[in-house]
Every structure is written in C-alpha cells, then in structure tokens.
Amino acid sequence: MKDTIHNNLQQVRQASRKLCTLSDDAIKNILNGLADRIPGKSQTILEANKNDLDRMNPDDPKYDRLLLNASRLETIANDIRNVAALPSPIGRILEKRTLPNSLQLKKTTVPLGVIGIIYESRPNVTFDVFSLCLKSGNATVLKGGSDAMYSNIAIVELIHDVLEKHDINPDTLYLLPAEREAAEIMLNAVGYIDVIIPRGSQQLIDFARKKSTVPVIETGAGIVHTYFDKSGDPQMAKEIVFNAKTRRPSVCNALDTFIIHRERLDDLAFITEPLAEKKVIIFADGDAYPALLGRYPSELLQKADVTHFGTEFLSLKMSVKTVDDLDEAVDHINRYSSMHSEAVIASDPAVTEEFLKRVDAAVVYANTSTAFTDGAQFGLGAEIGISTQKLHARGPMALQELTSYKWVIEGEGQIRP
C-alpha cells in the first residue's frame, strides 16, 4: 500500500504545481460547474450515504454528522457558489517597498501547496475542503473515516468528473483508502504533503499530532463553556443556552458546560427549562443539583462527577458548574477549555471586558451563542475547520488561512557589497 500511495501522492504534487497557472475565472467556472452538477448527482450521493448510514447506530452522535439529504446538498452547493464568488486569496501584496539600494521588494500570498485533511464521519467536508483548496490554489489529499467511505467515494467521483470536463488534472484531488494504515502513511508523507489539518474528535487530533512528521494545524475539538454572571439577563441566558446546546449538538461549537454564578442559582431552572423539550441530560454539580431537583425532569437530571467537565459531549448532554465569581469561572474555563469557543452572559461591562481579555480561546463571545463559530457566519465562505492553536491560523480557517507568502525581489543588476 505504501508504494502505491506514494506514487499517487507524487502525482498530486505534480498536479499542484500547475494550479498556479489557473486564472481565478477558471477556478470560478470549475466550482460553479460542480455546484450545478450536485442536484443531478444527488440520488447517487444519497444512495451512497444511505449505505454508510445503514452501518451506523442512529443513536451515535456521529450519525447526524454523517447524514446527507436533499436540503443539506442544496446548502453545500450554495456554499460552493459562495466560495467561488469570494476574492482570490492568491497574489495579494502584503507588503511593498523600495530598499535604499533601489531593489523593489514585495511580499505576496501563495498557495500552501498540497494540503492533507484527515477527518471522520462528515462527508460535507469533502466538498468544503475541495472548494476552499482549489480557490486558494492548493491540491488536496483526503483521508476520510471508514464511516463515510461510500459517501466520500461518490463525492470524489463527481469532483473528478467535473475537473476532467474543465481539462484539469483529477490528481488535484486524491482520496486515500479508508484503512487506518493509509492515515499513518499520509501523516509521514514528508516531501509530498505540505501541511496536515485534522478535523474531528480530540482523539483524532491527538493521533495526528503525535504520529505526524508533516506539520499539523489542529482543528475541530470544541469543549465549549458559557458563563452566566450575577449581572446576566436570565431571559437572554435561556435563549442563548437553548440555541448553543440544541441547534446542532453534534458540532464542535455546541455548548458543553454551563457555568453559573452562585447568586443566580435560583434562575437555573428557568434558564434550563426549554432544554427538557429536547430531552437534554444535565449533569449538575453539588450546588446546581438541588437547584434543579423537582424543577427539571428527574429522568434527565444526574449528579455530575469529574468526567463531566472537560468533555465534548457532541450530543444532547450538558454539565453545570457553580462558581463564586468571575475569577473562578475563568479558572475553570482555562483549565478545561480546548480553546475553541467560550462565552459570557453579563450586563456589567467590566465583567464582559475582563472575560474577553482573560479567556484564552480562538473565539470569545459576550451575550450571544457560541453557535456562530463558523466560517460562513463570519462571512468567510465555507471553512476548512476551526483552528484551536496559535501558529499560522486561529479560529475559522477559510481562504486567507490556506495561503503562505513569498518575497519577490526585483532589481537592475544590483550586487551586494
């Protein structure tokens, strides 16, 4: 397998070197052509997706991530069109000046080259990643999970067909075999792949970081908190918590732990009341549990233990932590956070300012839902993931984050003394 994959990766590398010759108009035509083809291929894609879904327990939190339907395919097509319409991130002049010796110096954006994406049961990622990588002039190597194997194969076949119809080398996009061995080969493909971006669980990210000899940008895992300060509005909190927890519980920006100021425990039952409609299981700490007992359905209320904090539930489950003040809330977040998305609900501007300053996360919020951590919501088009690290990119990784830069120097025969 290793030799076959390396041969294929060499072809991807060769294809990547020709992408820089494509005009932005040509890229737009390819992406719009792909979006236009999705409705006609929806039956094939959905049949492949059903084959994947039939192999997964519907109660598995990954089931919703794996699921494709007509509505989601329509949204994907629109997202691809949105990416096509965005300004090209390539060739932007970041810096320009003339040196004392008359050399003309420019710093310009260039593609990263070959981007490897390792992800789990989200076939929409296949479309998102391809559109973003092509728009930014990058070739793409994909390693999807076995859960989405049939879906990914069907999607890649469609993309290859569109590329060929536009006279573009289909090696621009390469889908690795679903076997785990292929992932380890990918993570050590130095010289073939320029950067690896894992998308998925903390376990997947840890695996990629520990096993990879190719540079890794960490994305995906979201252990998300919302702190309700003693100055917070309970009605606002009620709506924000419901949205952040139940809108799409299987995604990385969903709320995991609700932190409440001790002086506001009497509001806890009111704030959490709508969660019962969605059958959200609450793991309440020693102070929050009595505040909910008899006021939240007993079959949905459990006592929290240490495992319920620092956990990304990806399902209709949530923990509640009681704190004495902002300091304790911030300490709890900084201890358990994955540095993805964190929020405060407060009417005291001093509390808000302090929270936003002290909490170390890619995205911090005041008086709104963490569900907005999304490239499209930020006006970036589709995203390749949410970076939770501090080197190169942080937060939603869209087109600008898929570029590097190079220095261009033009002279008239100057030589260095």
Side-chain angles (χ1 to χ4, degrees), residues 102-113:
S102 298
L103 287 175
Q104 303 295 315
L105 179 148
K106 288 190 297 186
K107 182 181 180 182
T108 63
T109 55
V110 296
L112 289 171

Side-chain angles (χ1 to χ4, degrees), residues 212-229:
S212 183
T213 53
V214 177
V216 172
I217 298 177
E218 298 179 28
T219 74
I223 300 170
V224 177
H225 305 79
T226 293
Y227 167 55
F228 182 59
D229 184 61

Side-chain angles (χ1 to χ4, degrees), residues 40 66 83 85 242 291 308 398 407:
L66 176 60
V83 171
F242 182 76
H308 297 124
W407 296 94

Side-chain angles (χ1 to χ4, degrees), residues 187-203:
L187 294 173
N188 291 282
V190 175
Y192 300 102
I193 297 175
D194 294 290
V195 64
I196 299 286
I197 303 175
R199 288 194 55 170
S201 66
Q202 189 64 53
Q203 290 81 3

Side-chain angles (χ1 to χ4, degrees), residues 144-306:
S146 58
D147 291 339
M149 178 180 66
Y150 295 114
S151 303
N152 289 333
I153 289 173
I155 292 167
V156 169
E157 286 178 351
L158 169 59
I159 294 172
H160 281 169
D161 187 45
V162 171
L163 287 171
E164 289 175 339
K165 281 182 166 50
H166 286 82
D167 296 321
I168 303 300
N169 189 340
D171 290 332
T172 296
L173 174 68
Y174 173 41
L175 176 66
L176 286 159
E179 287 82 1
R180 183 183 178 93
E181 180 185 353
E184 298 198 7
I185 295 170
M186 173 192 190
L187 294 173
N188 291 282
V190 175
Y192 300 102
I193 297 175
D194 294 290
V195 64
I196 299 286
I197 303 175
R199 288 194 55 170
S201 66
Q202 189 64 53
Q203 290 81 3
L204 175 68
I205 293 168
D206 290 342
F207 170 75
R209 185 179 63 249
K210 292 174 182 177
K211 296 287 186 178
S212 183
T213 53
V214 177
V216 172
I217 298 177
E218 298 179 28
T219 74
I223 300 170
V224 177
H225 305 79
T226 293
Y227 167 55
F228 182 59
D229 184 61
K230 66 179 180 180
S231 68
D233 179 341
Q235 180 61 41
M236 179 189 292
K238 184 177 187 177
E239 295 172 6
I240 288 174
V241 169
F242 182 76
N243 179 259
K245 179 67 262 182
T246 69
R247 178 188 167 273
R248 284 195 69 187
S250 66
V251 297
C252 57
N253 57 30
L255 176 62
D256 294 297
T257 299
F258 181 57
I259 303 173
I260 186 168
H261 195 287
R262 186 177 304 281
E263 294 182 19
R264 302 305 298 271
L265 280 172
D266 287 345
D267 293 303
L268 183 57
F270 172 77
I271 292 168
T272 59
E273 180 183 7
L275 299 178
E277 301 170 13
K278 296 288 187 176
K279 301 189 182 304
V280 174
I281 296 173
I282 292 179
F283 302 101
D285 71 3
D287 296 297
Y289 187 85
L292 290 174
L293 193 62
R295 303 178 69 187
Y296 193 79
S298 59
E299 68 275 13
L300 300 175
L301 180 62
Q302 299 183 29
K303 293 182 179 180
D305 60 40
V306 292

